[in-house]
Amino acid sequence: MRLGILGGTFNPIHLGHLVAAQWVLESLHLTRVLFIPSATPPHKCEVVPYHHRSRMVELAIEDNPYFELCGIEAEREGPSYTADTLRELRELYGDTLYFIMGTEAFLNLYTWHQPKRVLGGANIVVMERSGFEVDSQEFQRYLDLLSLKLASVDFYPFEDRTWWCEVEGERHRVYLTQVPQIGISSSMVRSRLKAGLSVKYLVKGEVEEYIGEHGLYHS
């Protein structure tokens, strides 16, 4: 089983999340993608309660049999660190995880909590937005820099736009995978709602209804 992992605050989940997840699912022939809302985000404090964000994810993905909500971070106390989540998922599913993240997040990975455990805990899928392609040589230079910042981490070219990542004896792959550029963000959705504007075609209809029913993001 090739299991994709897409985490985030999902505050709220929008169509950009869904398009990217479907694109990666098909590009890497994944079995399914787990959507994991962050229960206690380490860096983002202004989020609606977890049960609302989790329910919106559930509504957004319910019509896709390859997408699944995972509440593993809600079962753990303290900050929701990716390194801890990947460790628990490996215990459940084995060593076939594909952690999906954006280019910007990957470029700042060295600032995360225990980044070596993140790199050593799963294959890494770096989403590259169409029209904003990252040159392979430029990406290799960043990987070399990351190796210097993180002791005992080495990257080796494998195939076109794919690298081996070796972390203290553990070896996984880093994929640079292109996804469509969808100009939607959660902050855009929140801003429009706060201004009393429509978010139709930015989020699933079921999510839009839920937001209205519970008065989310309007103040």
Side-chain angles (χ1 to χ4, degrees):
M1 180 169 60
R2 296 161 63 90
L3 191 63
I5 308 298
L6 184 61
T9 55
F10 298 119
N11 188 43
I13 188 168
H14 54 71
L15 295 186
H17 293 126
L18 303 177
V19 170
Q22 183 67 32
W23 214 267
V24 172
L25 174 86
E26 296 178 352
S27 297
L28 295 182
H29 308 289
L30 303 181
T31 309
R32 56 194 166 119
V33 175
L34 296 185
F35 285 70
I36 305 181
S38 177
T40 309
H43 305 299
K44 298 181 181 180
C45 298
E46 295 183 7
V47 295
V48 300
Y50 174 84
H51 70 276
H52 284 312
R53 292 182 288 113
S54 176
R55 179 57 180 153
M56 287 188 284
V57 170
E58 190 173 34
L59 290 169
I61 67 175
E62 63 184 357
D63 63 348
N64 190 324
Y66 300 105
F67 290 171
E68 180 180 330
L69 172 67
C70 176
I72 194 169
E73 292 193 349
E75 300 168 5
R76 192 173 65 235
E77 295 183 357
S80 300
Y81 290 124
T82 298
D84 297 332
T85 300
L86 291 178
R87 175 184 55 77
E88 291 185 25
L89 290 173
R90 285 187 71 179
E91 292 174 356
L92 290 171
Y93 298 106
D95 189 23
T96 55
L97 306 180
Y98 292 74
F99 181 63
I100 304 166
M101 60 194 309
T103 304
E104 183 178 352
F106 184 75
L107 295 179
N108 290 287
L109 183 61
Y110 67 93
T111 67
W112 288 27
H113 176 73
Q114 298 183 340
K116 288 198 293 186
R117 287 182 56 208
V118 175
L119 290 169
N123 298 292
I124 304 295
V125 182
V126 182
M127 295 185 293
E128 176 188 36
R129 307 292 182 182
S130 297
F132 297 88
E133 291 81 3
V134 179
D135 179 77
S136 293
Q137 292 183 344
E138 179 184 350
F139 194 70
Q140 179 66 61
R141 286 193 291 272
Y142 172 74
L143 293 176
D144 293 340
L145 180 61
L146 190 58
S147 293
L148 292 176
K149 290 179 177 291
L150 303 175
S152 306
V153 176
D154 294 296
F155 298 94
Y156 309 98
F158 174 59
E159 295 175 341
D160 184 41
R161 307 181 80 72
T162 306
W163 290 259
W164 283 115
C165 173
E166 190 168 308
V167 184
E168 298 176 348
E170 292 270 1
R171 192 161 78 155
H172 295 93
R173 293 177 186 175
V174 175
Y175 299 86
L176 192 54
T177 303
Q178 193 172 94
V179 299
Q181 172 67 15
I182 307 294
I184 305 173
S185 66
S186 294
S187 60
M188 173 195 294
V189 174
R190 295 194 303 270
S191 294
R192 290 184 62 83
L193 288 166
K194 189 173 182 179
L197 300 173
S198 171
V199 293
K200 188 178 293 293
Y201 311 123
L202 301 180
V203 300
K204 292 285 289 290
E206 296 86 348
V207 173
E208 183 181 16
E209 284 185 23
Y210 185 91
I211 289 172
E213 289 172 2
H214 295 271
L216 305 177
Y217 307 116
H218 290 288
S219 59

